[in-house]
Amino acid sequence: MKRKMLCTTLAIMMASSLIACGSSKSSDGAGTEVAANTQGDMENAVITIWSPSDKESIENWWAEKIDEWNAEHPDMLAAREAIDRSDSYAYDNKIATAVTSNDLPSIFFVDGPQVSYYAANDIIVPITDYFSDEIDDFDPATQAQCTYNGELYAISATQSGVAFYYNKDLLKECGVDTDDLDSRTLDNPITWSEMADIAKKCTTDSYVGTHIIMDHGEGIPYALEPMYLSAGKDYISEDGTTADGYVNSDEAVKTTAYLADLIANGYANVDPITDEFLNGACATELGGSWDVATLEASADFDWGVTYYPVADDTKKAVSPCGDWSAAVSKDCENLEATGEFLKWLMNTENVASYADAIAKPATRASAYDEECMAAYAEGPRALFVEQLQNTAAPRPRTPSYATFSTDYAEAMTNIFSDAASTKSVDESYIKEQLDSVAESFAEDYNTYYAK
């Protein structure tokens, strides 16, 4: 294995990393136990799956689908183990143990930016041939997220995004024209300066103007990367080999200074309360596509959502994306059966019903023709689909992403904390912090992956 031992590396992977292993038996969604098959042929195959445990609607979906497949394919039985994600370290360590003991399941789910890591270390295998005839039905961002060195290594049923939410009641109190925000289009999104102006006007003794920090882990690189791209430089080079001249570039320092200025002026909190926007503690937010369902169900105020903000000088529209993806492991003993199952699992009907159950945008264009996805035809959900299909950019594809993500989130937390305490923005300090991120990335990549 090219990479340092997984037992130590995976334990520090980003908090959004995925599931783990099982023994030679695992339970499917309906609770049926299936003994592992040691044969490599299609007959009497057992397809084992690990995916995160989720809300009841998703657990019910998995149970129904496993039962449906098994009823139609008694010679290729599938069994799923749902893994509790409440302790990500335990999950990561479980994967590490399975990797070293060659006991991974047939299929396991990985977070989008980690596909490159697993592919580079030969932990997952290419699945290009399974989807060659229908890959163009999947959105471009999903195809890019799941591809490494020209091969498809994973596939997703759903995607995610971030956009600019606004509390119309609070904005009207502060004299902001909400009709203007409602009328924006993908070709005419709000700019950084407009976002900052709204945040300034809407910062009061009762609430702050905006919310830019999802969490102090993976939420920071995930939600903020489009600002760097809009300014002209991504975190890491396109070939995934270097961060120097990218995350610490002049464009990156300028972008980071803009974000830190929101904190320094008190327009955003460095440590936001839980559900800050929903609880009326901020007037606007850079929020996720998953927030739509929450707001529809629970918000007691009038709200809206418009497109992700763009840099004033470039006007380049970019938006975040990424979600869990199914990959076939190196330990899969029934590749042909597993391929058939994965193609079926990701067919249009299943993708649509899964997206509906989990309230996320579907990856397949054809899924939106299904009746269950009618809610995505207009309104906030349609906006996220429009972004996904036109402006979404996956996080950097590099096997050293976990190292980058951890260090970048720490650096940004340091920068934001300094801005909050000093009520000022120090660009030399920003450059120092970002230089450190670039250096750490170089050490990891050059040690384990450079040729």
Side-chain angles (χ1 to χ4, degrees), residues 173-289:
E173 284 181 8
C174 298
V176 175
D177 182 4
T178 58
D179 289 339
D180 174 60
L181 292 177
D182 291 343
S183 67
R184 294 301 180 112
T185 65
L186 191 67
D187 296 326
N188 182 35
I190 66 168
T191 62
W192 293 3
S193 59
E194 288 175 312
M195 175 182 169
D197 184 57
I198 294 170
K200 179 180 179 180
K201 289 180 179 178
C202 296
T203 296
T204 71
D205 292 338
S206 301
Y207 45 84
V208 295
T210 196
H211 170 110
I212 60 172
I213 302 174
M214 288 187 176
D215 58 50
H216 288 284
E218 181 58 20
I220 289 180
Y222 165 73
L224 301 181
E225 183 186 18
M227 289 198 166
Y228 291 76
L229 287 164
S230 187
K233 281 286 182 71
D234 200 353
Y235 296 140
I236 296 168
S237 61
E238 187 173 355
D239 63 6
T241 63
T242 183
D244 189 36
Y246 292 86
V247 72
N248 58 347
S249 65
D250 291 343
E251 294 91 338
V253 171
K254 175 185 174 182
T255 302
T256 306
Y258 165 79
L259 293 164
D261 192 61
L262 296 173
I263 301 288
N265 284 305
Y267 303 156
N269 289 319
V270 69
D271 289 307
I273 66 169
T274 301
D275 295 328
E276 190 173 45
F277 184 74
L278 179 64
N279 289 321
C282 63
T284 68
E285 74 163 350
L286 290 178
S289 48

Side-chain angles (χ1 to χ4, degrees), residues 390-442:
N390 293 279
T391 65
R395 279 158 283 179
R397 284 167 286 165
T398 173
S400 290
Y401 181 80
T403 294
F404 167 82
S405 173
T406 300
D407 293 339
Y408 173 78
E410 181 179 352
M412 292 297 283
T413 296
N414 292 341
I415 292 165
F416 289 155
S417 297
D418 181 72
S421 63
T422 64
K423 300 189 184 308
S424 63
V425 175
D426 183 348
E427 290 197 5
S428 63
Y429 180 68
I430 291 174
K431 183 66 163 59
E432 175 187 320
Q433 289 289 312
L434 297 181
D435 281 344
S436 178
V437 176
E439 291 168 6
S440 177
F441 178 90

